[in-house]
Amino acid sequence: MNLQIDSSKLMAELKHLSTFSDAPSPAVTRILWTEQDMKARAWLKGLALEAGLHYREDALGNTFIRLKGSQPDLPAIGTGSHTDAIPFSGMYDGTVGVLGGLEALRAIKRSGVKAKRSLEVLMFTAEEPTRFGLGCLGSRVLAGAIELEKIRALKDSDGIDVETARGKVGYTAPLETVLLPKNYYAAFVELHIEQAPLLEQEKLQIGVVNAIAAPASFFVHLEGEGGHAGARLMPGRRDALLAAAEIALAVETAALATDAIDTVGTTGLLEIHPAAINSIPSKAKMGIDIRDIDGSRRDQAVNQVLETIKKVAAKRNVQASIELINADPPAQSDPRILEAIRSSIATMQISSLEMVSRAYHDSLFMARVCPMAMIFIPCRGGISHRPDEFAAPQDIARGVEVLARTMLTLAEQ
Ligand code: HGY
Ligand code: MN
Ligand code: MN
């Protein structure tokens, strides 16, 4: 089968998508339902219609771009990823899976091959947790992995809730309509940059992802007592920031304590009040992220941190409250899809590595409703969530060809 990936068109589109940003290039910031996000969505719709593909959006803005098969009523083969971008990040995280998926469908259409099953690119709304604090917001609702009341209760830093925010940008249908019908997809395969350095270090071309790590995250709200930095003597201080500092170190200790390289812990968010150089912090809000490919080991690290929070709060006479954001199980890739990926790799005579994904992806939740697997391409130095994130055009094009071939194999099963 002669599949031609139009790499220069795809790279130009990735570059153009990166211009829809609230940060100066090369950084990309594209937060859920902001003006830049809505411009990017409108532009993507134009690409889909220009390619003669079927386009629709759901009540959260999850976007479906479909190439109909010869038996369109069969469960489709899905691919896709996200186009939202955390503050000051890069231009390849997520977008390679969306625009690469679109190019895979265009290449298949150009080749004249008519697949039995329809092929569909799904651009998920809000894979990143930036605006509402919860990652994979769109895929969780699509997969029925969260009660809708929890979605409705989410508020952004301006106190705007999801219903108000989505209504403002025209998504007014009931949230209940987002849930995917049973057997909507026969398989889902996501193309993504590796966001780690293994493929590059081993000089291998494609990652065959057999599992996605289990993410957990929570906020810690600390309240002590403020006061004058000069006049309030040290004995008896109830400094919320110092409590947070001890807890942040405990996150690192807990991750290292499992003795497994797969356990990771990060305090990525810290806000203090009143944040004045000559005032003792009376309040602190921490955002903690703990992951592992083994769910019970991840929970062991989380519980160790929670125990430490209690001890530090008692020692420093600071009030502490925990706000759980998520604690999701890991996901295993489907053997049949992995086989289809491996046969594409063999046909193309390229090198590959079987690996796990330590980053989470929307595929973590698609695994709840259909067989899933992922394809990784190398990214320079494993850098991601940074403006210097980079994936080479030939690696992207190769990943898109593996994806297209894999989708076609699955479409005939
Ligand atoms: O945090 C993650 O793993 C993903 O990049 N949102
Ligand atoms: Mn990301
Ligand atoms: Mn991503």
mmCIF file of all heavy atoms in Angstrom, residues 82 86 93 127-128 192 195 384-385, ligand 2:
data_model
loop_
_atom_site.group_PDB
_atom_site.id
_atom_site.type_symbol
_atom_site.label_atom_id
_atom_site.label_comp_id
_atom_site.label_asym_id
_atom_site.label_seq_id
_atom_site.Cartn_x
_atom_site.Cartn_y
_atom_site.Cartn_z
ATOM 1 N N HIS A 82 -4.615 15.835 22.156
ATOM 2 C CA HIS A 82 -5.135 17.131 22.635
ATOM 3 C C HIS A 82 -4.369 18.287 21.999
ATOM 4 O O HIS A 82 -3.241 18.109 21.533
ATOM 5 C CB HIS A 82 -5.017 17.202 24.158
ATOM 6 C CG HIS A 82 -3.598 17.120 24.657
ATOM 7 N ND1 HIS A 82 -2.867 18.215 25.038
ATOM 8 C CD2 HIS A 82 -2.777 16.054 24.829
ATOM 9 C CE1 HIS A 82 -1.656 17.839 25.424
ATOM 10 N NE2 HIS A 82 -1.577 16.533 25.293
ATOM 11 N N ILE A 86 -0.118 23.584 28.400
ATOM 12 C CA ILE A 86 0.077 24.223 29.717
ATOM 13 C C ILE A 86 0.909 25.493 29.523
ATOM 14 O O ILE A 86 1.544 25.669 28.476
ATOM 15 C CB ILE A 86 0.768 23.262 30.716
ATOM 16 C CG1 ILE A 86 2.221 23.017 30.349
ATOM 17 C CG2 ILE A 86 0.000 21.973 30.873
ATOM 18 C CD1 ILE A 86 2.987 22.297 31.464
ATOM 19 N N ASP A 93 3.496 18.550 22.164
ATOM 20 C CA ASP A 93 2.734 17.734 23.125
ATOM 21 C C ASP A 93 1.256 17.739 22.746
ATOM 22 O O ASP A 93 0.609 18.781 22.770
ATOM 23 C CB ASP A 93 2.934 18.338 24.533
ATOM 24 C CG ASP A 93 2.064 17.660 25.579
ATOM 25 O OD1 ASP A 93 1.408 16.635 25.261
ATOM 26 O OD2 ASP A 93 2.022 18.174 26.715
ATOM 27 N N GLU A 127 -7.055 18.070 28.021
ATOM 28 C CA GLU A 127 -6.223 16.969 28.552
ATOM 29 C C GLU A 127 -5.382 17.516 29.702
ATOM 30 O O GLU A 127 -5.097 16.806 30.665
ATOM 31 C CB GLU A 127 -5.320 16.449 27.438
ATOM 32 C CG GLU A 127 -4.563 15.179 27.790
ATOM 33 C CD GLU A 127 -3.214 15.445 28.460
ATOM 34 O OE1 GLU A 127 -2.788 16.604 28.514
ATOM 35 O OE2 GLU A 127 -2.624 14.489 28.972
ATOM 36 N N GLU A 128 -4.997 18.794 29.578
ATOM 37 C CA GLU A 128 -4.156 19.362 30.645
ATOM 38 C C GLU A 128 -5.025 19.853 31.799
ATOM 39 O O GLU A 128 -6.156 20.290 31.597
ATOM 40 C CB GLU A 128 -3.327 20.523 30.083
ATOM 41 C CG GLU A 128 -2.356 20.125 28.979
ATOM 42 C CD GLU A 128 -1.206 19.217 29.414
ATOM 43 O OE1 GLU A 128 -1.180 18.785 30.593
ATOM 44 O OE2 GLU A 128 -0.332 18.945 28.599
ATOM 45 N N HIS A 192 1.883 10.080 20.128
ATOM 46 C CA HIS A 192 2.327 11.153 21.040
ATOM 47 C C HIS A 192 3.850 11.191 21.102
ATOM 48 O O HIS A 192 4.512 10.180 20.876
ATOM 49 C CB HIS A 192 1.760 10.887 22.453
ATOM 50 C CG HIS A 192 1.615 12.102 23.315
ATOM 51 N ND1 HIS A 192 2.678 12.727 23.914
ATOM 52 C CD2 HIS A 192 0.528 12.843 23.649
ATOM 53 C CE1 HIS A 192 2.251 13.785 24.599
ATOM 54 N NE2 HIS A 192 0.953 13.879 24.457
ATOM 55 N N GLN A 195 8.073 12.278 25.511
ATOM 56 C CA GLN A 195 8.221 13.158 26.696
ATOM 57 C C GLN A 195 9.229 12.564 27.692
ATOM 58 O O GLN A 195 9.154 12.807 28.885
ATOM 59 C CB GLN A 195 6.868 13.403 27.396
ATOM 60 C CG GLN A 195 5.862 14.133 26.506
ATOM 61 C CD GLN A 195 4.516 14.352 27.171
ATOM 62 O OE1 GLN A 195 3.857 13.409 27.593
ATOM 63 N NE2 GLN A 195 4.083 15.595 27.253
ATOM 64 N N SER A 384 9.881 18.049 27.465
ATOM 65 C CA SER A 384 8.470 18.358 27.169
ATOM 66 C C SER A 384 7.944 19.300 28.255
ATOM 67 O O SER A 384 8.582 19.494 29.283
ATOM 68 C CB SER A 384 7.643 17.078 27.147
ATOM 69 O OG SER A 384 6.296 17.379 26.778
ATOM 70 N N HIS A 385 6.775 19.920 27.942
ATOM 71 C CA HIS A 385 6.220 20.929 28.864
ATOM 72 C C HIS A 385 7.211 22.081 29.044
ATOM 73 O O HIS A 385 7.252 22.717 30.084
ATOM 74 C CB HIS A 385 5.860 20.321 30.225
ATOM 75 C CG HIS A 385 4.576 19.541 30.190
ATOM 76 N ND1 HIS A 385 3.924 19.101 31.303
ATOM 77 C CD2 HIS A 385 3.828 19.107 29.156
ATOM 78 C CE1 HIS A 385 2.822 18.446 30.984
ATOM 79 N NE2 HIS A 385 2.743 18.415 29.676
HETATM 80 MN MN MN B 2 1.163 17.533 28.562
#
